Amino acid sequence: METTSLSPALESAGLQGADIQDRFLGDWSGLTIGRPAIVYRPTSTEEVSQILKTCHRDGRPVTVQGGLTGVAGGGVPDEGDVVINLERMNKVEQIDELEGIMLVQAGATLQSVQEAAAACDWMFAVDLGARGSCQVGGNASTNAGGIRVLKYGTMRDSVLGVEVVLADGTIVSSLKGLVKNSTGLDPRNVFVGSEGTLGIITRLTLRLRPPMGTPSTAMVAADSFERLPVLLRNLRRRVGDALCAFEFMSADYVDMACKLTDTPRPLAGKPVWYVLIEAAGMPGESMDERLQDALGAALDEGEITDCVQASNLSHAMKLWRIRESIPEVLTHIKRAITMDVGLPWAQTASFLESIESELKAKFPNASHLWLGHLGDNNLHLLSGPLDEHEYEQLEPFVFEALRGRAGTISAEHGVGRLKKPFLTVCRSEEEIEVMRRIKKALDPKGILNPGRILD
Amino acid sequence: METTSLSPALESAGLQGADIQDRFLGDWSGLTIGRPAIVYRPTSTEEVSQILKTCHRDGRPVTVQGGLTGVAGGGVPDEGDVVINLERMNKVEQIDELEGIMLVQAGATLQSVQEAAAACDWMFAVDLGARGSCQVGGNASTNAGGIRVLKYGTMRDSVLGVEVVLADGTIVSSLKGLVKNSTGLDPRNVFVGSEGTLGIITRLTLRLRPPMGTPSTAMVAADSFERLPVLLRNLRRRVGDALCAFEFMSADYVDMACKLTDTPRPLAGKPVWYVLIEAAGMPGESMDERLQDALGAALDEGEITDCVQASNLSHAMKLWRIRESIPEVLTHIKRAITMDVGLPWAQTASFLESIESELKAKFPNASHLWLGHLGDNNLHLLSGPLDEHEYEQLEPFVFEALRGRAGTISAEHGVGRLKKPFLTVCRSEEEIEVMRRIKKALDPKGILNPGRILD
């Protein structure tokens, strides 16, 4: 596709040809497709609007890029695309220190938002491993989850308002920072989670939270997965709102993570499941005793078979090191697949039981390691090493196993390009029809992120 | 409009003529317009679908009714309307006691949902005065707030899934109970808060919470409104997540409420503003000491001038009696108007200061009483007695005063019919255009709740 249909001014503002670095071609999924015709890095909502007006007029497909840390291929351009990359719109514009509200451009990294909040004694609650590179606009577009959903919810719960540019260049500024506003459809509820297919989020009003205290941390062992929902249900009563992490891991995962990172195994014996548990109150308030009592009760009730509570920060970091060894594990078992499925608690144990043996039978040379955020209904599976054929087989195999279980093919990573073929596993024809109608209403020519989520 | 275009089976299923009782003609706003042609009280989603298919085919306007406790006229039918009243769809269908998830029909009252949750040691967190009559479908349609938003959020935060019938009768069942599901646009985010204009919610998946303990309660006094945001900011740090109510009231309101309900004035002296504060932990856990320390610090810092902490439940109920005297106050100052505006904290004090003197000048015979949920950005104004002319003048006057302040004309009551003329005070042309496009995409003939929110 030629770029000559762009106005000369817009054309000269973008990167073209050899100036388009490889970093604009792919994301963390590893997928690349082709070279875009032009890469824009606008510095204002108005510039995004101008670019989209031209693209809309000419029916040119646009790929929207944030920090390119996605793993579903959402930010990967097609050959000849116009790319709109938000990296230059990275300013924290304003902080209301009294109410705890931040006005920020979509290209600011999550970490820069966290740091700006902390600098005025507030906290931005969403946190995830890619914090240094991912952008808050991208976090909003995929409704990112991360490690604190149990206590603070997903990105949606931290976005009070959005400024969005529609496909035709219309700027919809809906940046009010109100907790309650019952005056019809709120744009943020449509655009958060829509993966850039309905509009480009250019600025956001974010909700900050009072800082939380140093967490108390423990690792526990359970002899069957069925114990874990019971444990979580009871911990939410024993520890209350202070409970902020409940990260389960299979024994295979913990063993490999400890070996690869030279971390001591956290518990003796042969646990079947491990859970990393955190509780945090206000700054200066220790949750040690409350967590200890809660775990004592869990031992008494037979919900867990063993536990160790971190005696200091360094001990806590060793326990978290295990949970955060995913990169090392993935490197070790490459070529590997990471999955991000979701299930109701009532379905999780039986799903695991049935699929584990099938995975072992069908992909016998691979390790299949499970971990996830039970409070968020979120299971991650790391499988590898896989040969080319197995690599293509595994994902569809797991997705099909989800059918009929009221689960999801993506709890937090998004659909993007890579999971689109499997959307019907978790969305009915009628749900997809609602998506289509709204897509058509907001982007009638289908120029925004075409080929993502829907065809 | 004739009813003959309905099929005979559907026609015989509805109430017509003299069988239509007056209770179907209006809601708590006091508005009535005309008599509907027919009132259906379906018992299933399929019946709602059948009725809507016929109405869609024939282009017949439909009014959707829940508990009819709304105050914006949303449930008030036009002459000749087809009414779909959800009162017979009132069953709690299923409770997952392990995960804390309830599947419920839209016509169940809020109170019945609360009671069903409590019966299995869970809590449904949304609560408001109309609990005995209002229905959870209506609560979702207006994204109801209520008295616990500070801790638990609005109705939106307690709805995990919805089943909706579109205008053309299509049933969109999206009842998954997943906390995280990043697979494109989630119907609940479109239909919650849309006041029945985009589809009829027939069933909901609700999120339950662990029960909360008996709250610790206090009433404090402040000598200017500017102190209150500072006090709230600091209480959220001193009391933490246990803080669950921060209900401010003007001295005029408290004086009148105490007099009318024969309740002793809670504090000596002449406070200018009162705030009712509540903190609650887990069952069995007392927050008395923590609240006492927090209020001691507030006194030391000059944030408040006086405070009293409830020494027992009966004392706490006396304090709440003041806050809950709105019905008595409204009867005393009738004919009165209740307003439900919202503002950022930074705008609230200056808004109050400027409008109070203007209200006194323009409506000199009325009392103007303020109260609200500061943590939710929500101010209620009770004004009366007003004569016919004043009654029509007051609301537009207050709404115009909101312009340019990043506020809202309705924080929790909704737009309905009565606030529609003022929507542009708080929504831009572009925001309204997004609403219009989505309305047209989902209800192309405009048969669902016409005349509400938008023309």
Side-chain angles (χ1 to χ4, degrees):
Chain A
M1 193 174 280
E2 300 291 315
T3 62
T4 44
S5 55
L6 295 170
S7 72
L10 275 180
E11 200 170 332
S12 66
L15 303 171
Q16 294 180 68
D19 289 340
I20 298 175
Q21 298 150 269
D22 285 352
R23 68 187 178 95
F24 297 112
L25 307 187
D27 63 11
W28 285 11
S29 70
L31 178 74
T32 53
I33 300 172
R35 292 191 70 80
I38 191 160
V39 174
Y40 291 111
R41 290 174 297 162
T43 58
S44 69
T45 302
E46 289 66 31
E47 283 180 28
V48 174
S49 168
Q50 280 184 316
I51 298 163
L52 282 184
K53 269 183 194 151
T54 307
C55 295
H56 182 71
R57 184 197 63 200
D58 302 335
R60 291 198 58 146
V62 173
T63 284
V64 192
Q65 291 185 341
L68 290 166
T69 59
V71 292
V76 179
D78 277 311
E79 181 73 27
D81 268 5
V82 172
V83 164
I84 298 182
N85 182 300
L86 278 296
E87 67 183 11
R88 286 184 175 166
M89 288 192 67
N90 60 3
K91 285 186 192 55
V92 173
E93 294 189 357
Q94 197 182 313
I95 298 181
D96 178 336
E97 297 194 21
L98 187 61
E99 191 165 358
I101 292 173
M102 180 188 288
L103 181 63
V104 63
Q105 295 180 340
T109 64
L110 176 57
Q111 188 170 333
S112 71
V113 164
Q114 291 171 339
E115 287 171 357
C120 48
D121 194 25
W122 285 94
M123 178 179 79
F124 186 67
V126 174
D127 194 24
L128 44 97
R131 66 184 71 81
S133 308
C134 66
Q135 298 172 5
V136 285
N139 297 148
S141 294
T142 54
N143 188 22
I147 59 176
R148 290 193 200 133
V149 175
L150 195 58
K151 189 171 166 72
Y152 295 105
T154 65
M155 188 70 181
R156 184 181 296 282
D157 300 296
S158 287
V159 176
L160 292 172
V162 292
E163 183 167 87
V164 173
V165 185
L166 301 184
D168 63 9
T170 303
I171 298 172
V172 183
S173 192
S174 187
L175 288 167
K176 282 199 185 82
L178 302 173
V179 168
K180 292 194 319 200
N181 183 6
S182 196
T183 53
L185 190 84
D186 209 334
R188 69 182 159 125
N189 296 313
V190 173
F191 294 99
V192 171
S194 69
E195 301 188 31
T197 61
L198 302 179
I200 301 182
I201 297 174
T202 54
R203 292 157 84 210
L204 306 98
T205 307
L206 299 178
R207 170 190 218 162
L208 308 179
R209 320 272 180 156
M212 70 179 201
T214 308
S216 301
T217 310
M219 185 79 87
V220 308
D223 54 13
S224 79
F225 195 90
E226 278 93 344
R227 306 282 185 194
L228 302 187
V230 179
L231 174 63
L232 178 51
R233 178 196 175 282
N234 294 341
L235 280 179
R236 287 180 66 198
R237 285 162 159 77
R238 293 175 193 143
V239 179
D241 296 319
L243 189 70
C244 55
F246 189 95
E247 302 286 308
F248 67 85
M249 293 164 274
S250 63
D252 286 354
Y253 171 81
V254 170
D255 291 346
M256 191 181 291
C258 288
K259 208 159 130 189
L260 293 174
T261 61
D262 212 15
T263 305
R265 289 188 59 228
L267 293 164
K270 291 253 174 224
V272 185
W273 290 96
Y274 292 81
V275 189
L276 183 61
I277 294 166
E278 252 190 18
M282 297 180 295
E285 181 190 26
S286 169
M287 282 288 142
D288 283 352
E289 202 176 324
R290 181 175 291 196
L291 184 58
Q292 191 176 332
D293 292 349
L295 296 178
L299 278 168
D300 291 347
E301 298 291 327
E303 297 157 12
I304 59 177
T305 55
D306 197 2
C307 72
V308 59
Q309 195 161 344
S311 49
N312 53 43
L313 190 61
S314 136
H315 189 179
M317 285 173 69
K318 283 206 180 80
L319 298 179
W320 268 104
R321 184 72 184 88
I322 299 169
R323 173 62 181 79
E324 293 186 336
S325 299
I326 296 175
E328 289 87 349
V329 168
L330 287 177
T331 303
H332 183 69
I333 63 171
K334 73 177 174 188
R335 188 178 183 191
I337 273 184
T338 312
M339 301 197 65
D340 165 48
V341 302
L343 281 160
W345 294 6
Q347 293 276 351
T348 307
S350 72
F351 172 77
L352 280 169
E353 196 177 338
S354 71
I355 201 167
E356 270 198 302
S357 53
E358 291 175 38
L359 280 170
K360 277 178 192 150
K362 210 169 157 73
F363 306 92
N365 301 319
S367 296
H368 305 288
L369 313 172
W370 294 95
L371 69 166
H373 327 274
L374 186 65
D376 320 350
N377 308 102
N378 191 186
L379 274 80
H380 296 299
L381 165 65
L382 317 178
S383 282
L386 301 166
D387 65 28
E388 191 61 34
H389 177 72
E390 289 172 326
Y391 190 86
E392 275 163 24
Q393 298 275 302
L394 189 127
E395 220 169 22
F397 177 77
V398 175
F399 288 147
E400 286 307 318
L402 273 177
R403 266 194 210 277
R405 288 184 180 271
T408 177
I409 60 167
S410 176
E412 59 183 1
H413 293 169
V415 177
R417 294 177 180 277
L418 298 175
K419 290 181 203 147
K420 185 181 59 173
F422 311 102
L423 190 61
T424 58
V425 169
C426 63
R427 292 288 188 194
S428 67
E429 200 183 302
E430 293 78 17
E431 287 178 287
I432 292 172
E433 174 62 18
V434 169
M435 292 185 208
R436 269 190 217 290
R437 288 202 209 174
I438 291 177
K439 169 73 174 172
K440 201 165 173 201
L442 297 179
D443 179 16
K445 294 186 175 178
I447 65 165
L448 279 179
N449 273 359
R452 282 73 159 190
I453 306 181
L454 302 170
D455 278 318
Chain B
M1 192 174 283
E2 299 292 315
T3 63
T4 45
S5 54
L6 294 169
S7 71
L10 274 180
E11 199 171 330
S12 67
L15 302 171
Q16 296 181 64
D19 290 340
I20 299 176
Q21 298 151 269
D22 285 351
R23 67 188 180 95
F24 296 112
L25 306 188
D27 62 12
W28 286 10
S29 70
L31 179 73
T32 53
I33 300 173
R35 292 190 71 81
I38 189 160
V39 175
Y40 291 109
R41 290 174 297 161
T43 57
S44 70
T45 302
E46 290 66 32
E47 282 181 26
V48 174
S49 168
Q50 280 183 315
I51 297 164
L52 282 183
K53 268 182 195 151
T54 308
C55 294
H56 182 72
R57 184 196 64 198
D58 301 336
R60 290 197 60 146
V62 173
T63 284
V64 192
Q65 292 185 342
L68 290 166
T69 60
V71 292
V76 180
D78 277 311
E79 180 74 26
D81 268 7
V82 172
V83 164
I84 298 182
N85 182 301
L86 277 298
E87 67 183 11
R88 285 184 175 166
M89 289 193 67
N90 59 3
K91 286 186 191 54
V92 173
E93 294 189 356
Q94 198 181 311
I95 298 180
D96 179 336
E97 296 194 20
L98 187 63
E99 191 165 357
I101 291 172
M102 180 188 288
L103 181 62
V104 64
Q105 295 180 340
T109 64
L110 176 57
Q111 188 170 334
S112 71
V113 164
Q114 291 171 340
E115 288 171 357
C120 49
D121 194 25
W122 285 95
M123 179 178 78
F124 186 66
V126 174
D127 193 23
L128 44 97
R131 67 183 72 82
S133 308
C134 66
Q135 299 173 5
V136 285
N139 297 148
S141 294
T142 53
N143 188 22
I147 60 174
R148 291 194 199 133
V149 175
L150 195 60
K151 189 171 166 74
Y152 295 104
T154 64
M155 188 69 182
R156 183 181 296 282
D157 300 295
S158 286
V159 175
L160 292 172
V162 291
E163 183 166 271
V164 173
V165 185
L166 301 185
D168 63 7
T170 303
I171 297 172
V172 183
S173 192
S174 187
L175 288 167
K176 283 199 184 83
L178 302 172
V179 168
K180 291 194 320 200
N181 183 6
S182 197
T183 53
L185 189 84
D186 210 333
R188 70 181 159 127
N189 295 314
V190 173
F191 294 99
V192 171
S194 69
E195 301 188 31
T197 61
L198 303 178
I200 301 182
I201 298 174
T202 53
R203 291 156 84 211
L204 305 99
T205 308
L206 300 177
R207 170 189 219 162
L208 309 179
R209 319 273 179 157
M212 70 180 201
T214 307
S216 301
T217 310
M219 185 78 86
V220 307
D223 54 13
S224 78
F225 196 90
E226 279 93 345
R227 307 281 184 192
L228 302 187
V230 179
L231 173 64
L232 178 51
R233 178 195 175 282
N234 294 342
L235 280 180
R236 287 180 67 197
R237 286 163 159 77
R238 294 175 191 140
V239 179
D241 296 318
L243 189 70
C244 55
F246 189 95
E247 302 285 309
F248 67 85
M249 293 164 274
S250 64
D252 286 353
Y253 172 80
V254 170
D255 291 345
M256 192 181 292
C258 288
K259 209 159 130 188
L260 294 174
T261 61
D262 210 16
T263 306
R265 290 188 59 226
L267 292 165
K270 291 252 173 225
V272 184
W273 290 95
Y274 292 81
V275 188
L276 183 61
I277 295 167
E278 253 190 16
M282 297 180 295
E285 182 189 25
S286 170
M287 281 289 144
D288 283 351
E289 202 177 323
R290 182 176 290 195
L291 184 57
Q292 191 177 333
D293 291 350
L295 296 178
L299 278 168
D300 291 347
E301 298 291 328
E303 297 157 12
I304 59 178
T305 55
D306 197 3
C307 71
V308 59
Q309 195 161 345
S311 48
N312 53 42
L313 191 61
S314 136
H315 189 180
M317 284 172 70
K318 284 206 182 80
L319 298 178
W320 269 104
R321 184 71 184 88
I322 299 169
R323 173 64 180 80
E324 293 186 336
S325 300
I326 296 176
E328 288 87 349
V329 168
L330 287 176
T331 303
H332 184 69
I333 63 172
K334 74 179 173 185
R335 188 177 183 191
I337 273 183
T338 311
M339 302 198 62
D340 166 50
V341 302
L343 281 161
W345 295 5
Q347 294 275 351
T348 307
S350 73
F351 172 76
L352 279 170
E353 196 178 338
S354 71
I355 202 169
E356 271 199 300
S357 53
E358 291 175 38
L359 280 171
K360 275 179 195 152
K362 211 170 157 71
F363 306 91
N365 300 319
S367 297
H368 304 288
L369 313 173
W370 295 94
L371 68 166
H373 327 274
L374 186 66
D376 319 350
N377 308 105
N378 191 185
L379 274 81
H380 296 299
L381 165 64
L382 318 179
S383 282
L386 301 167
D387 64 29
E388 191 60 36
H389 176 72
E390 288 172 326
Y391 190 85
E392 275 164 26
Q393 298 274 303
L394 190 128
E395 222 169 21
F397 177 77
V398 174
F399 287 149
E400 286 308 319
L402 274 176
R403 266 196 209 277
R405 287 185 181 271
T408 177
I409 59 167
S410 176
E412 59 183 1
H413 294 170
V415 178
R417 295 177 179 276
L418 298 175
K419 290 181 203 147
K420 186 180 61 174
F422 311 101
L423 191 61
T424 59
V425 169
C426 63
R427 292 289 189 194
S428 68
E429 199 182 305
E430 293 77 17
E431 286 177 288
I432 292 172
E433 175 61 19
V434 168
M435 293 186 208
R436 271 189 216 289
R437 289 201 208 175
I438 291 178
K439 169 72 175 174
K440 201 166 174 201
L442 297 180
D443 178 15
K445 294 187 177 178
I447 65 165
L448 279 178
N449 273 357
R452 281 74 160 189
I453 306 180
L454 302 171
D455 278 318

